[in-house]
Amino acid sequence: MCCYIRVTFNIFLLIVVFFVGTVMEMKAQHTLWYEQPAGEWVEALPVGNGRLGAMVFGRVDYERIQLNEESIWTGQPIDRQQSEAGKYIPKVRDLLFAGNYEEAVKLLEQKVMSP
């Protein structure tokens, strides 16, 4: 019985060590580490979602972040203001509380959200 417990415990320790090592290796795979800050634009770290973007240069003494937004590249200014959006919010709330989700979304898209 004592031998069985010792073997079982050793197997358990081996499994724990294996999983801890695997987790540490996975963490290391998802870590970005740089020896120096970006000196040029092509060395900076790009972040964003396609509409808004930035290049992060990663300095220690001060941070340089270069921002970008899609309307800069569309060729002309786009007016995204919905000047009367505020008056539709109570109606959207009423529709949501009534369970009319599809109608609320349609009203939001047409009258509240920017084109």
Side-chain angles (χ1 to χ4, degrees):
M1 184 68 152
C2 180
C3 229
Y4 175 74
I5 292 174
R6 187 174 293 154
V7 169
T8 305
F9 183 72
N10 287 340
I11 291 173
F12 173 75
L13 279 178
L14 185 63
I15 291 170
V16 167
V17 168
F18 172 76
F19 280 116
V20 167
T22 303
V23 167
M24 296 296 281
E25 185 178 323
M26 287 173 61
K27 260 186 156 178
Q29 288 176 353
H30 298 293
T31 301
L32 299 175
W33 186 264
Y34 301 97
E35 298 292 325
Q36 62 193 25
E40 301 175 26
W41 186 84
V42 294
E43 297 172 348
L45 186 64
V47 294
N49 63 5
R51 181 177 172 271
L52 296 172
M55 295 297 277
V56 181
F57 286 78
R59 298 196 59 89
V60 177
D61 50 347
Y62 68 94
E63 185 57 82
R64 179 178 167 202
I65 301 174
Q66 186 178 29
L67 299 174
N68 192 11
E69 198 268 334
E70 73 172 347
S71 68
I72 294 172
W73 306 104
T74 59
Q76 59 189 7
I78 300 171
D79 183 17
R80 296 188 185 274
Q81 297 287 335
Q82 292 280 24
S83 57
E84 298 187 5
K87 72 179 188 182
Y88 293 100
I89 297 296
K91 176 67 175 167
V92 170
R93 286 186 189 138
D94 292 341
L95 290 169
L96 290 172
F97 289 132
N100 297 330
Y101 303 113
E102 289 181 28
E103 192 176 339
V105 169
K106 285 179 185 176
L107 184 61
L108 274 172
E109 289 174 344
Q110 291 172 357
K111 302 294 184 181
V112 177
M113 298 174 74
S114 51

